[in-house]
Amino acid sequence: MAQLGDLTGNLPTFKESRMVTNGFCLWLAWKGDINPALQQTLSDYGGMRVREQRNQALWFFFSEDVFLALARLEIWARLNPIPVFIEIFPAKLLLGLKLEVTLSFDTRLANQTAIIPEEFEAWLHPKAVEGAKRVPGLDFKDVEKLRGLPDVGWKALQADPRLPYQSSMGWFLVLKPLGNPLDKEFQVGWRAFFQEIEYILKRLKLNYILHDFFLMFPLQNLRQLRTWCRDYLTMVPRVKEAGENAYWPCVQAIVDRKGLNFNNELAKKVPLDWDMLMPDFPYMSYRNAFLMGTGYRINDVRFKVDSGSIDDWCNVALSDQQAEEGGAIVIELSKRLVAGEEHACFYCGLRGHKVTECPSRDLEEMRPGAWAEIAKLDFDGINAGFRDMDAFLAKYDSQVEGITELLQTNVPSGHLAQAVFEINLPVQHRMMTLMWRSHGKDYPVGLRSLDPQEPGPLYDALDNLYNGEVIACDRIASQLAMKGPRDFRPRTLQGFSAVEKGDLPRAQGYWREAEGMSASPLHQSYHIYLQARALEMQGRYQQANTMYKRVITLSPKWLSAIYRQGVCLVKLGFAEQAMGFFENLINQDPNMFNRTLIDPELERGHFHLLGALHRLWNETEAKAKEERQNLEQLRTEVAKWFSDDHEFARQTYADITNLNELMERKNYVPYHRMMKGRANLAKDLQSKVEEESKKLKNNFSYFMDRLKEIRREAAWFPFPRVLVEFNREFNFCAKNVNWALKQHFQVADAFRRGQELFDKISETIERLESRLKTLKVVRDSTLFLLIMGKTFFWLELGGLLLALIVVPLAMWWGQKQGYPWATSVLLSQKWEIQKGMIAILSIVSLAVAVLRSALVFDKKKQKLFERYGGE
């Protein structure tokens, strides 16, 4: 016995349905092993298997082909009896936000049970019979009520075996190679790639038309559709690996053949903008994509704002191909931001508004901080921000009004909107006014030196442009151009005026004139950038690429010009080749990773880029985890070289903590910053060790010189027994300084010991030098007294001798000459005179000794030190 509730009970439930479509549900139950041909028939006629258990399955059909399949099975079962029970009833297929599939049908049918018969039986719900009656050759008869089935008036189907009952399904495939057919690369690449395609066509025996570089051919049945998609999607990566000349990017669309004819005009009747298609992946409706069965992955596309029909466009890829390629980052841009029916805006690239209404016109200053805010979000946060953006924009009647309000908010969705508008900053009005005021030569340094904005006719014309008065703007700009034939600013403004009119070739001409009038490389590169953007918006991507290269020649640091080259390649369909530009940019500025993730203009290569960025992200994530371990090793390494209270160690520990916190945000920018920071810390550690090692060497050499001086000065201290403690400390310093001078300090233990000894020796030497001052005073005082004493002694001795000789001689000479004083005064007071002379001579000798000692002290001291080896 089979129970339908066992199948429906496992179906997912969700509050909000993304798509709803009517169709028919087929409940299939069998005994034993089911014949594979039965399920293959259901699949070939457009059946979508929703659930299956051991002996029952639930299928959904979008069209009345279910009755054709049932007729074929009923006729076949007459010749090959099989114990199968089939029940068909109306149902709705509901798709969730993530394309989850569930069914909705009459609640009376939910809990029914069926006894599996011994032969084939097919029952139709009365409402299903109404649709089946439109199929010729089918007849219906009443059946008896069975236990377990609701009494709704079931009918049994009988088919006329004389009719073929061919499926009404069929498709046309239109394939277009990308690029300029006049380019040699296109001719070589397309010719080689077409040979690979032609091999599949011949194998499938498909007739094709090749007209105006469109390849068109019919796909008669679902089996051909599945085979073509699998063969093509398998062939593309194989050909890419074979070499550059073997692959050429192509876009393709698969459309239902109803209402179309297989002729040269088929491509013009396909309701698609070919410039919006992503190469390599077949585009088809969701209805057809679900018929592809297992093995395929359905990818959403953002062609319309309000898309909720099963007939909307999507593309398919092999489900196992993504796993082999390493997966892809899941980033879903806001559909209300990206989709639109207008031409891509010159200023921002969005399609939801006219160029004259672009929200960028209201922006005045650059907002580089928006990228810092995006770097704080992980991938889930970015997706949540885009979902919030979608909900926010849904509240407004126009995209312009919603985005203008969103740009003023300080929430993730607002930051994402700000970042999207920063991508094309160089071609927006706010950059024009910055260039007018700039007098620098290089980008971006030249934008930091700005003249003040002074009101005048030029800004009056700009106000007219903002207000939509293009004619008034042109009139003022033309007058200013005539007054200042070498002033590039009026020509720049006239170019933007032409953009507002939709005349991009004319705008390009004005900017070419302004380029010739520009005196600095900055202004020249700016106007070349504008010309390149005009070419890009006209679809002349190769010429635009050449112009962007000229920008880089004049302003090598203008990374946006390199980025635009990658964007042009993506728009051409060469997303994988563009990754070379993007990876180079990401290495220079990690914010370019997030720019590539959220840029709406990369829609054509979004899937390829997400896959390529996923590989880059995986590599970065693996390196970041390794670097995080290296951070902890670095912490340990720092602890080996420096003490915890060392200023460098404290700062490094704080930096390591900050870098570890960056890993908490799953975003390329903080991961890249963490890795770069770890490398910088390692370099800083190495540099600090080398610097400190040199300082230690120099300091210990200086300590040695100071010790030599201390030893030289202390060697002449006259009381060596007093120097026991002094000598002990001196020997400690000398021993360790000699050890330090023999080290290279490139070993952590030696370096750490050297630092510890440095502080101890420094304190000890200061203490020795302090004590040495006292010793020097005592030593110098003693030496001074000795020198003075010696001088005084000899002077005093000479004076005494002189006194003993002079007084008697004076008396003798006075008597001989007959002077009375010689006999009276000298003779009577000779001892008093002797005493007085001795006193005077002693005083004079002492004064002379002191004076002479002071004059010759340094000379005598130096001579004694040199003579007796004071060194």
Side-chain angles (χ1 to χ4, degrees):
M1 179 177 292
Q3 295 183 351
L4 183 59
D6 293 342
L7 293 172
T8 58
N10 296 326
L11 293 176
T13 58
F14 36 81
K15 296 180 181 180
E16 182 180 356
S17 298
R18 177 176 176 180
M19 300 177 192
V20 179
T21 185
N22 294 319
F24 299 95
C25 185
L26 185 147
W27 179 27
L28 175 68
W30 62 88
K31 286 183 179 179
D33 296 330
I34 191 172
N35 193 318
L38 190 149
Q39 293 193 353
Q40 185 63 49
T41 300
L42 296 178
S43 178
D44 290 343
Y45 277 77
M48 172 184 169
R49 183 159 41 193
V50 179
R51 280 290 182 274
E52 182 174 346
Q53 287 185 347
R54 184 173 56 86
N55 65 337
Q56 60 177 345
L58 199 60
W59 291 67
F60 183 83
F61 285 78
F62 294 98
S63 68
E64 295 174 353
D65 278 15
V66 61
F67 305 116
L68 299 174
L70 195 59
R72 291 290 297 269
L73 292 176
E74 198 270 338
I75 295 172
W76 180 71
R78 296 176 189 175
L79 302 176
N80 303 276
I82 50 176
V84 171
F85 174 76
I86 294 179
E87 183 179 287
I88 299 177
F89 49 88
K92 291 183 179 179
L93 180 74
L94 289 76
L95 299 177
L97 297 178
K98 297 182 179 180
L99 298 182
E100 312 99 313
V101 177
T102 191
L103 295 174
S104 174
F105 46 83
D106 190 345
T107 56
R108 292 180 298 171
L109 307 177
N111 297 318
Q112 60 180 322
T113 60
I115 300 174
I116 302 174
E118 296 298 328
E119 57 184 20
F120 182 86
E121 286 188 11
W123 288 27
L124 276 70
H125 191 278
K127 293 184 179 180
V129 173
E130 296 176 4
K133 287 180 178 180
R134 291 190 286 268
V135 178
L138 299 184
D139 191 17
F140 310 95
K141 65 177 183 178
D142 295 332
V143 293
E144 296 180 359
K145 180 180 178 301
L146 294 179
R147 183 169 56 87
L149 298 181
D151 187 11
V152 295
W154 299 99
K155 301 289 185 180
L157 179 141
Q158 290 183 336
D160 188 346
R162 295 171 297 179
L163 297 180
Y165 300 107
Q166 294 293 331
S167 173
S168 62
M169 292 189 301
W171 300 270
F172 291 126
L173 187 142
V174 182
L175 183 144
K176 178 186 178 183
L178 301 178
N180 187 353
L182 300 179
D183 290 341
K184 184 177 180 180
E185 292 182 356
F186 174 91
Q187 296 170 3
V188 175
W190 169 235
R191 185 182 299 112
F193 192 62
F194 177 73
Q195 292 178 357
E196 299 290 339
I197 296 175
E198 190 176 28
Y199 173 76
I200 299 177
L201 296 176
K202 290 180 178 179
R203 186 162 51 81
L204 298 179
K205 299 179 180 180
L206 298 174
N207 297 322
Y208 62 87
I209 296 176
L210 192 58
H211 175 72
D212 196 19
F213 293 99
F214 279 95
L215 173 66
M216 298 165 282
F217 55 87
L219 295 168
Q220 302 292 346
N221 51 59
L222 190 57
R223 189 172 298 183
Q224 280 188 345
L225 174 62
R226 291 170 178 160
T227 304
W228 160 261
C229 290
R230 175 163 291 278
D231 289 355
Y232 184 86
L233 292 172
T234 305
M235 178 265 293
V236 168
R238 174 178 56 81
V239 173
K240 286 181 179 179
E241 295 177 358
E244 296 181 359
N245 294 331
Y247 167 77
W248 191 259
C250 301
V251 295
Q252 58 180 296
I254 299 172
V255 296
D256 293 325
R257 66 184 178 187
K258 293 179 180 179
L260 297 175
N261 296 319
F262 185 52
N263 53 37
N264 293 343
E265 302 298 318
L266 176 61
K268 298 179 181 179
K269 297 181 180 180
V270 176
L272 269 178
D273 182 357
W274 293 98
D275 292 334
M276 291 292 293
L277 301 190
M278 186 186 306
D280 298 343
F281 300 103
Y283 280 73
M284 61 184 68
S285 67
Y286 281 99
R287 180 194 303 271
N288 293 325
F290 279 111
L291 296 181
M292 299 293 290
T294 59
Y296 293 91
R297 186 184 66 258
I298 301 174
N299 302 314
D300 294 329
V301 296
R302 288 171 282 270
F303 289 162
K304 295 189 300 182
V305 174
D306 297 318
S307 57
S309 170
I310 199 71
D311 293 317
D312 289 336
W313 289 97
C314 65
N315 65 51
V316 297
L318 297 178
S319 56
D320 56 350
Q321 196 172 59
Q322 186 179 28
E324 293 175 0
E325 295 175 356
I329 298 175
V330 180
I331 295 294
E332 293 290 338
L333 303 184
S334 167
K335 188 170 292 187
R336 295 184 180 276
L337 177 73
V338 177
E341 298 179 356
E342 300 291 341
H343 292 293
C345 176
F346 178 87
Y347 301 122
C348 65
L350 300 180
R351 295 174 175 266
H353 57 260
K354 297 179 180 179
V355 68
T356 55
E357 301 173 347
C358 183
S360 68
R361 296 154 64 91
D362 297 328
L363 301 177
E364 297 180 357
E365 300 293 336
M366 295 187 292
R367 295 182 176 182
W371 295 113
E373 295 296 331
I374 302 303
K376 297 177 182 178
L377 302 175
D378 57 15
F379 298 140
D380 292 337
I382 292 176
N383 282 321
F386 278 125
R387 287 194 297 269
D388 293 342
M389 183 186 297
D390 230 21
F392 186 91
L393 296 178
K395 302 175 184 178
Y396 294 87
D397 295 333
S398 68
Q399 185 193 69
V400 176
E401 184 181 0
I403 291 178
T404 302
E405 292 295 327
L406 188 61
L407 289 172
Q408 309 306 319
T409 61
N410 189 26
V411 295
S413 57
H415 298 149
L416 285 167
Q418 294 167 16
V420 167
F421 277 83
E422 285 300 306
I423 293 174
N424 284 301
L425 167 68
V427 299
Q428 295 171 5
H429 291 170
R430 48 182 169 155
M431 178 61 83
M432 175 175 59
T433 58
L434 291 176
M435 287 293 175
W436 286 353
R437 297 164 53 197
S438 170
H439 50 77
K441 294 183 178 180
D442 299 320
Y443 183 92
V445 179
L447 297 179
R448 299 172 187 166
S449 53
L450 302 175
D451 294 329
Q453 182 172 326
E454 299 179 356
L458 193 64
Y459 287 96
D460 293 339
L462 182 58
D463 290 338
N464 289 329
L465 185 66
Y466 285 153
N467 297 329
E469 300 173 2
V470 182
I471 297 177
C473 172
D474 280 340
R475 184 177 64 254
I476 299 175
S478 298
Q479 293 173 356
L480 292 174
M482 293 178 64
K483 292 179 181 179
R486 297 305 304 169
D487 188 355
F488 68 84
R489 296 179 299 173
R491 291 287 185 250
T492 308
L493 187 57
Q494 285 178 308
F496 280 101
S497 178
V499 170
E500 302 279 318
K501 298 175 185 177
D503 193 350
L504 291 178
R506 190 177 184 85
Q508 187 181 346
Y510 282 125
W511 290 328
R512 189 182 302 111
E513 293 180 28
E515 175 195 348
M517 299 175 184
S518 301
S520 71
L522 175 62
H523 293 147
Q524 284 182 319
S525 58
Y526 169 65
H527 290 102
I528 296 172
Y529 194 109
L530 292 175
Q531 295 174 60
R533 177 64 171 178
L535 289 169
E536 179 185 342
M537 300 311 293
Q538 296 174 64
R540 299 163 65 183
Y541 303 120
Q542 293 174 329
Q543 295 92 325
N545 239 330
T546 303
M547 297 294 285
Y548 285 126
K549 290 178 182 178
R550 288 184 57 198
V551 175
I552 298 302
T553 303
L554 291 171
S555 300
K557 295 183 179 180
W558 203 336
L559 300 184
S560 289
I562 303 177
Y563 179 80
R564 297 316 304 178
Q565 293 182 59
V567 173
C568 288
L569 283 175
V570 171
K571 290 182 176 181
L572 275 169
F574 295 91
E576 294 177 343
Q577 290 81 348
M579 272 307 299
F581 286 93
F582 294 140
E583 289 187 13
N584 179 37
L585 283 172
I586 291 168
N587 290 331
Q588 299 180 60
D589 181 5
N591 286 309
M592 287 292 178
F593 186 94
N594 290 333
R595 175 182 290 203
T596 308
L597 277 183
I598 68 173
D599 190 352
E601 291 193 78
L602 297 178
E603 178 71 13
R604 165 169 272 188
H606 194 63
F607 182 78
H608 290 291
L609 294 176
L610 291 182
L613 291 175
H614 186 265
R615 291 191 292 272
L616 181 60
W617 164 252
N618 281 343
E619 295 173 1
T620 303
E621 188 177 32
K623 291 179 181 178
K625 291 179 180 178
E626 181 180 348
E627 290 294 327
R628 192 169 192 177
Q629 296 177 355
N630 293 338
L631 268 179
E632 297 306 316
Q633 295 178 0
L634 184 63
R635 187 191 296 271
T636 305
E637 191 71 15
V638 171
K640 291 180 180 178
W641 292 91
F642 299 95
S643 61
D644 291 342
D645 58 349
H646 193 280
E647 181 181 357
F648 176 79
R650 291 198 303 269
Q651 182 61 45
T652 302
Y653 294 156
D655 292 340
I656 290 174
T657 301
N658 293 335
L659 291 177
N660 274 324
E661 291 176 355
L662 291 177
M663 286 288 289
E664 297 176 2
R665 296 190 294 271
K666 193 174 181 180
N667 189 294
Y668 182 88
V669 176
Y671 275 36
H672 185 275
R673 191 177 301 159
M674 188 277 293
M675 292 189 295
K676 188 175 181 181
R678 207 281 318 166
N680 289 336
L681 286 181
K683 291 180 181 178
D684 291 344
L685 175 60
Q686 183 178 359
S687 300
K688 188 67 175 178
V689 168
E690 292 178 357
E691 178 186 352
E692 292 293 326
S693 297
K694 291 180 181 178
K695 285 184 179 180
L696 284 175
K697 276 288 184 183
N698 294 333
N699 288 333
F700 281 118
S701 297
Y702 176 59
F703 285 164
M704 179 59 75
D705 294 338
R706 291 169 68 182
L707 287 173
K708 288 180 179 180
E709 181 66 21
I710 292 172
R711 184 185 65 181
R712 189 173 70 88
E713 296 289 346
W716 294 96
F717 186 73
F719 312 108
R721 292 186 179 181
V722 181
L723 300 180
V724 175
E725 185 178 353
F726 183 91
N727 289 332
R728 185 185 303 112
E729 292 182 346
F730 178 87
N731 291 335
F732 166 79
C733 294
K735 177 183 176 181
N736 288 291
V737 168
N738 283 323
W739 172 86
L741 292 175
K742 296 177 183 178
Q743 305 299 317
H744 297 288
F745 294 119
Q746 298 303 314
V747 179
D749 293 339
F751 180 87
R752 185 70 176 271
R753 184 185 173 191
Q755 285 188 315
E756 295 172 354
L757 288 175
F758 171 79
D759 295 332
K760 294 179 181 178
I761 293 174
S762 178
E763 294 175 1
T764 305
I765 289 180
E766 288 179 1
R767 189 164 58 250
L768 289 173
E769 289 177 334
S770 177
R771 296 176 61 184
L772 184 63
K773 291 178 182 178
T774 304
L775 297 178
K776 287 173 69 176
V777 171
V778 175
R779 183 200 68 189
D780 291 349
S781 299
T782 304
L783 181 61
F784 185 85
L785 290 174
L786 290 174
I787 294 173
M788 185 185 71
K790 180 180 178 182
T791 304
F792 175 77
F793 173 78
W794 290 109
L795 288 175
E796 184 71 13
L797 182 62
L800 291 174
L801 292 174
L802 184 63
L804 292 174
I805 294 173
V806 170
V807 172
L809 285 176
M811 291 174 61
W812 174 79
W813 183 77
Q815 291 176 355
K816 187 177 179 180
Q817 295 294 329
Y819 294 118
W821 55 266
T823 57
S824 60
V825 177
L826 291 177
L827 185 63
S828 61
Q829 297 182 2
K830 60 181 179 180
W831 296 113
E832 285 77 5
I833 292 173
Q834 289 279 7
K835 291 178 181 179
M837 289 184 66
I838 291 172
I840 293 171
L841 288 172
S842 297
I843 293 172
V844 172
S845 297
L846 182 62
V848 172
V850 172
L851 180 62
R852 180 180 180 275
S853 298
L855 293 174
V856 302
F857 176 79
D858 289 333
K859 185 177 180 180
K860 289 281 187 181
K861 184 177 70 171
Q862 188 67 27
K863 186 180 292 184
L864 286 172
F865 284 1
E866 291 177 355
R867 181 177 180 182
Y868 295 103
E871 297 294 335

